[in-house]
Amino acid sequence: MTASQSPGVRRRRLSAALRRLRETRELTATEVAKSMGWTSGARLTRIERNEWKFPKRDEIEALLDLYGVEGDDRAHLLSLAEEARGRSDWHKYADLFPGALPDLEAEAVRIRTYEVVLIPGLLQTPDYAAAVSLASQVVPPEQIDRKVESRMARRAVLDLPQGPQLTAVIDEPALRKVVGSHSIMAEQLRFLIGMAAHYKVTLLVIADESGAHPAVDGAFTLFDFPRPEPGIVSIPTVVEALYVEDEDYVDKHALIFDAVQNLALDPQRSLDLIGSIAAEHDKRA
């Protein structure tokens, strides 16, 4: 999948562009809603937050008229609106990704993820992913194969020339926690070592001896996009992830990520630790 094929990416870019246009014109959502004949600004807020499924061309044209957008800029935004009405390459997995995660991964230029007790999704083996889904008790048993299939397919984004750079910082407990079985863990850790050789992957481990640190409370993922698109931080919950675009919130998590990245072992020492823990799992398999 490429970003140019993603209607979800197009919708997000259109939403961001419409928000910037309103802010540049120094209009409030309520003022725009009144001009559009809408009952409140909530409708525009949903559009600007990308909480819509299919942009309506007549609404987009009316908003562009209000914002005074003409020429090439207008043609570009109307083209985005048309492309946003299509179906994502991921439509068959839409029920598994309520937060449009694959679209965000496809659009991002950089992904920074910190994990406490699990291996990052883009770096999981099929057996490990299946064990995680089964243990969650949220994914119905009959959907586990599809969940695993979709997770493996997502990794292809790392092989695209325009795909994102991935930096994964993993706390040592995630390497030791037995997900599925010791043999599954040994295979998973060996796979991690292999993925560390990927030219777009940087893999770092925070050793237990480092103690408490700024991110010890929980996992998160930062998505960085081409300028001027705002970044997004994703916070996993038991049921699904939360996606937050608030600039201050994203900036704080970026600072936290920098802190844990600096605290982590260097790449080679990280691989050495992963290898030694994989050997321990092998012995107990």
Side-chain angles (χ1 to χ4, degrees), residues 54 59 181 211:
F54 299 107
E59 287 186 353
S181 68

Side-chain angles (χ1 to χ4, degrees), residues 26 34 61 86 99 152 161 166-167 217 220 235 275:
E26 298 183 345
K34 184 176 180 180
E61 289 183 329
M152 299 306 105
L166 173 65
T167 299
D217 279 347
F220 65 91
I235 309 293

Side-chain angles (χ1 to χ4, degrees), residues 22 51 62 68 202 223 226 281:
R22 177 181 60 76
E51 295 172 355
T202 299
F223 297 94
H281 283 299

Side-chain angles (χ1 to χ4, degrees), residues 40-41 65 106 151 153 204-205 222 230 238 246 248 253 255 259 268:
S40 74
D65 288 341
R151 183 158 293 182
L204 304 171
V205 175
L222 288 157
V238 174
D246 178 78
D248 184 57
H253 279 80
L255 288 174
Q268 186 56 56

Side-chain angles (χ1 to χ4, degrees), residues 212-250:
H213 54 74
V216 73
D217 279 347
F220 65 91
T221 298
L222 288 157
F223 297 94
D224 298 320
F225 305 100
R227 295 292 183 182
E229 301 293 330
I232 287 180
V233 61
S234 171
I235 309 293
T237 71
V238 174
V239 178
E240 63 183 67
L242 301 177
Y243 297 89
V244 183
E245 265 186 81
D246 178 78
E247 185 176 357
D248 184 57
Y249 197 75
V250 172

Side-chain angles (χ1 to χ4, degrees), residues 9 12 99-109 111 223 225 232 243:
V9 169
R12 183 175 181 277
L101 176 61
D103 287 334
L104 296 179
E105 291 171 339
E107 182 185 6
V109 295
I111 299 173
F223 297 94
F225 305 100
I232 287 180
Y243 297 89

